[in-house]
Amino acid sequence: MRIFEYENINEMSFETAKTVFNFYDYYIRKQGYFSLVLAGGNTPKLLYQILASEYNLKINWNDVYIFFGDERYVDKENEYSNYKMAFETLISKIDIPPKNIFRIRTEIEPIEKCVEDYENQILKFFEKKDKDVSFDLILLGMGNDGHVASIFPDIEISNNKYIDYVIPKNANPLVPRITFTYNTINNSKNVVFLISGKEKIKVLNEVFRGKEYPVGNIKPRENLIYFISK
Ligand SMILES: O=C1O[C@H](COP(=O)(O)O)[C@@H](O)[C@H](O)[C@H]1O
């Protein structure tokens, strides 16, 4: 585990962008493509803008496959949609083929079918690559309650599946969510956390002292990196 601390979200986002680029570069040389899972919420917005500007021309987006670690079960045009945020800050600004974007199709009802659809998209992607489901890099945020992706404290999540849905008791926005399971996250090669703000740092310190929160259960196969800012 590696922890990097910064004075502000600006510095943190620039340094995280460098790390994302380094992972991209490593996997392109190694296997010719890079599977990247995006976090939702507010914290990664600046990182995505930096990737879409400073790194736009350094990255061959044809070789990048973008997934989402979780989604709020709302329309893709809804202000709370993680896809909408990623589209506005990153996807709409880069030259990436639509087939490289693996969106959680929240228009599919009921939510169980939406989960199934996303799981199938993921299975097919890795089947075509003749690989087990193991993402190269998962970006994750953390809520003030220690939730990661949409795995919340005190809410059961399946460990036999790749994707599950939850009906949170407390969340903002309080809507059903589709999420990667621990299984999927911990089978990935690398996880990079982006954590910003006093309240979250307090939670993280509690985790490091042994208190149970979802964030504490994240243990990918290769690298676990925390980028933290005040
Ligand atoms: O609801 C969510 O929250 C977390 C943290 O978001 P932030 O706004 O505090 O950065 C986020 O990682 C997750 O993707 C999102 O759905």
Side-chain angles (χ1 to χ4, degrees):
M1 177 169 85
R2 278 176 289 160
I3 302 176
F4 298 99
E5 293 177 80
Y6 299 92
E7 279 302 306
N8 54 58
I9 193 164
N10 211 39
E11 277 178 34
M12 177 181 81
S13 304
F14 273 97
E15 289 306 313
T16 314
K18 259 189 222 165
T19 297
V20 172
F21 178 75
N22 289 339
F23 276 120
Y24 156 82
D25 194 48
Y26 173 81
Y27 284 105
I28 293 299
R29 285 167 204 271
K30 188 176 171 182
Q31 63 189 23
Y33 68 91
F34 178 52
S35 54
L36 172 66
V37 180
L38 300 183
N42 291 313
T43 316
K45 285 181 180 169
L46 184 55
L47 164 68
Y48 298 164
Q49 283 160 354
I50 296 166
L51 290 172
S53 51
E54 311 275 313
Y55 288 89
N56 194 357
L57 300 177
K58 294 182 183 142
I59 293 176
N60 181 352
W61 294 101
N62 287 306
D63 298 331
V64 178
Y65 296 91
I66 291 183
F67 296 80
F68 292 82
D70 76 309
E71 183 57 280
R72 290 91 178 254
Y73 194 49
V74 294
D75 188 87
K76 71 174 180 1
E77 301 299 333
N78 186 290
E79 61 171 312
Y80 294 119
S81 158
N82 283 337
Y83 172 78
K84 181 179 163 74
M85 182 278 282
F87 183 80
E88 287 173 353
T89 52
L90 175 68
I91 296 168
S92 64
K93 306 208 173 350
I94 57 177
D95 196 9
I96 187 164
K99 69 168 179 47
N100 290 21
I101 311 291
F102 293 77
R103 184 171 70 77
I104 303 177
R105 298 179 184 135
T106 49
E107 62 275 26
I108 299 178
E109 291 176 299
I111 195 166
E112 290 84 350
K113 289 261 175 240
C114 173
V115 167
E116 203 180 301
D117 171 78
Y118 191 46
E119 195 158 68
N120 284 336
Q121 291 187 56
I122 290 172
L123 289 172
K124 272 192 202 145
F125 172 80
F126 283 101
E127 242 168 61
K128 269 198 195 160
K129 301 281 179 206
D130 204 15
K131 296 263 169 69
D132 291 340
V133 175
S134 178
F135 292 97
D136 298 326
L137 175 60
I138 300 188
L139 299 173
L140 287 177
M142 184 191 82
N144 289 341
D145 57 357
H147 82 263
V148 286
S150 281
I151 307 179
F152 289 84
D154 303 328
I155 297 209
E156 281 277 310
I157 186 118
S158 163
N159 242 339
N160 306 318
K161 296 183 183 176
Y162 294 105
I163 307 296
D164 204 355
Y165 74 92
V166 296
I167 316 272
K169 293 175 197 144
N170 289 303
N172 186 21
L174 193 53
V175 293
R177 286 140 180 268
I178 294 99
T179 184
F180 275 18
T181 58
Y182 285 124
N183 185 27
T184 309
I185 300 174
N186 290 340
N187 264 320
S188 69
K189 299 181 187 93
N190 307 287
V191 166
V192 164
F193 271 103
L194 282 139
I195 294 176
S196 177
K198 271 192 204 148
E199 268 190 70
K200 292 183 184 178
I201 294 174
K202 205 173 137 215
V203 170
L204 206 55
N205 284 332
E206 288 175 0
V207 172
F208 293 149
R209 280 191 236 107
K211 193 164 173 193
E212 266 286 313
Y213 283 105
V215 65
N217 297 328
I218 303 303
K219 294 177 181 79
R221 289 188 188 171
E222 292 173 23
N223 296 289
L224 174 59
I225 308 177
Y226 287 92
F227 282 92
I228 302 172
S229 82
K230 285 182 184 164

